[in-house]
Amino acid sequence: MLSGISAITIGQSHIDNKTECQDSAILDFNDKYVMGAVADGHGSKKHFRSAKGSQFAVEAAKYSIYEYMNDNYEKFVDAYNKDKKYLIDRIIKMLITKWHEKIQEDINNEPITQEEIDKYLDGNFNEDKIASIYGTTLLVGVMGEGCNFGFLIGDGSFVVIDKHGKAYIPIEDENSKANYTTSLSSSDSFNGFVTHFFDEMPFSIMVSTDGLVKSFGDDNDFLDYNQAIAMELDGLDTVDKRIEMEDRLTKLFEQRSRDGSEDDISISIIFNSDAYESVKQGLETRRKLNKIDEQIGLSKKKIVTLDFKQKQ
């Protein structure tokens, strides 16, 4: 059975500064496919409606995927297998169009005021770049029989747990390494998307905003954390159980934000619950190996420290 959970936690810095959460998350699952998405509004002064922008982004992703996949799933899978890139590019283009439509609807309902222009844009308002006010990232994962894929624009993390329990990151935004965030509001946003296709259905796809990964010292610790979450995905076969797990994640992320990035943290996790038993052993083994590697690493540091002291 395909299923999903999500959680959104306001960052500690947002609590301290009394600013709104910029993150959004969404899920959509049925007997054909499951999708999960997260988005992180840029949040700076000139992006003063980016909290709405992130919400519009995940809604546009859900809408576009539904439009293509829900009506005739078998036909979609057939087209997907013939030309994956062409089909997913069309979904992304529809998503971008829908996002801009939602922005226009919001502006029609709540026009940009002169007060906002003076306060947030220092009086410099360019109507041609109005989408930047709603600037956001977006990460999306989809799992279904015969078609499994994901895409993203901007920073955040796209983590996969394969059928052997291995956690890895197949795609990321290269600009984030240069401390630059690619945005859905860019005039050339379509070319900013990075896409990944799976040869077979993984156990789980976990998309999260950058507030989570920035709470860890390195990628290994972060992936180990994702594997620990994956081990908790068993038995989530009712709405109540999924809500309970989402509440647990929210509380965990509150602590993560306080001790780490202080940023908003959001995650959407989609998974194949029928595969849990077969992947469980792999998850447990890899967690044990990670702990052994961690102990070896600590031992090496101690040896280096002792050697340094002896030389002194």
Side-chain angles (χ1 to χ4, degrees):
M1 181 180 74
L2 297 174
S3 189
I5 56 173
S6 65
I8 302 175
T9 302
I10 186 169
Q12 186 60 46
S13 63
H14 291 252
I15 295 172
D16 295 341
N17 297 324
K18 296 181 172 58
T19 54
E20 63 185 328
C21 178
Q22 298 290 327
D23 281 8
S24 296
I26 205 166
L27 293 168
D28 187 21
F29 51 93
N30 49 54
D31 59 343
K32 301 171 184 175
Y33 70 88
V34 57
M35 71 81 68
V38 294
D40 180 6
H42 301 328
S44 65
K45 185 180 177 182
K46 64 180 181 179
H47 306 295
F48 59 90
R49 290 194 183 182
S50 61
K52 285 185 176 180
S54 70
Q55 184 62 42
F56 295 160
V58 295
E59 289 173 352
K62 178 180 176 179
Y63 171 86
S64 302
I65 290 166
Y66 180 90
E67 284 295 297
Y68 269 87
M69 296 184 68
N70 192 70
D71 233 7
N72 191 329
Y73 185 75
E74 290 72 24
K75 185 178 179 180
F76 175 86
V77 171
D78 184 54
Y80 176 86
N81 289 324
K82 287 177 180 176
D83 195 338
K84 298 177 177 64
K85 189 176 187 312
Y86 172 75
L87 190 57
I88 304 310
D89 281 353
R90 289 186 66 177
I91 289 177
I92 291 171
K93 287 178 180 178
M94 177 183 279
L95 181 163
I96 294 169
T97 300
K98 190 65 179 176
W99 185 69
H100 282 278
E101 287 176 358
K102 286 179 172 290
I103 288 173
Q104 192 57 55
E105 288 172 12
D106 188 63
I107 291 170
N108 291 341
N109 293 330
E110 293 184 46
I112 306 295
T113 66
Q114 188 61 46
E115 183 181 356
E116 287 177 316
I117 294 171
D118 294 338
K119 182 179 179 180
Y120 300 113
L121 303 176
D122 299 324
N124 299 316
F125 178 60
N126 186 340
E127 193 168 345
D128 293 334
K129 296 184 178 180
I130 200 164
S132 67
I133 293 168
Y134 296 81
T136 183
T137 65
L138 176 66
L139 299 94
V140 180
V142 178
M143 287 169 52
E145 196 61 48
C147 62
N148 299 271
F149 60 91
F151 52 81
L152 60 83
I153 183 169
D155 54 18
S157 291
F158 190 104
V159 176
V160 176
I161 309 292
D162 70 13
K163 65 179 184 178
H164 303 294
K166 179 185 177 182
Y168 66 98
I169 301 172
I171 51 171
E172 58 186 348
D173 184 89
E174 291 297 325
N175 288 322
S176 61
K177 294 179 180 179
N179 204 26
Y180 170 77
T181 301
T182 312
S183 177
L184 188 57
S185 64
S186 167
S187 59
D188 191 30
S189 61
F190 173 73
N191 290 319
F193 275 89
V194 184
T195 308
H196 181 72
F197 304 104
F198 297 88
D199 293 331
E200 57 185 356
M201 184 186 293
F203 167 64
S204 177
I205 299 174
M206 303 179 175
V207 288
S208 56
T209 53
D210 68 329
L212 184 57
V213 67
K214 288 179 179 177
S215 296
F216 292 86
D218 57 47
D219 282 350
N220 289 331
D221 289 341
F222 175 63
L223 290 174
D224 188 42
Y225 188 78
N226 279 265
Q227 285 178 315
I229 292 175
M231 293 186 71
E232 302 296 320
L233 298 178
D234 185 32
L236 303 182
D237 52 0
T238 67
V239 173
D240 289 342
K241 288 179 180 178
R242 289 195 292 271
I243 291 174
E244 182 181 343
M245 181 62 182
E246 289 173 342
D247 289 341
R248 286 173 59 196
L249 286 176
T250 299
K251 289 181 173 62
L252 285 171
F253 292 162
E254 286 172 357
Q255 188 65 44
R256 274 280 153 198
S257 181
R258 283 195 295 270
D259 298 341
S261 66
E262 296 192 346
D263 197 4
D264 301 328
I265 296 176
S266 295
I267 194 167
S268 282
I269 302 170
I270 56 177
F271 59 98
N272 179 9
S273 59
D274 292 338
Y276 180 82
E277 285 304 318
S278 63
V279 81
K280 180 181 177 182
Q281 185 61 48
L283 286 167
E284 291 175 345
T285 301
R286 290 183 182 280
R287 291 219 71 203
K288 289 175 183 177
L289 290 173
N290 289 342
K291 287 181 180 179
I292 292 171
D293 287 342
E294 184 180 347
Q295 290 170 352
I296 291 171
L298 289 172
S299 297
K300 286 181 178 178
K301 286 181 181 178
K302 287 179 181 179
I303 291 170
V304 170
T305 302
L306 288 170
D307 186 53
F308 176 73
K309 287 180 178 179
Q310 286 176 344
K311 287 180 179 178
Q312 281 186 318

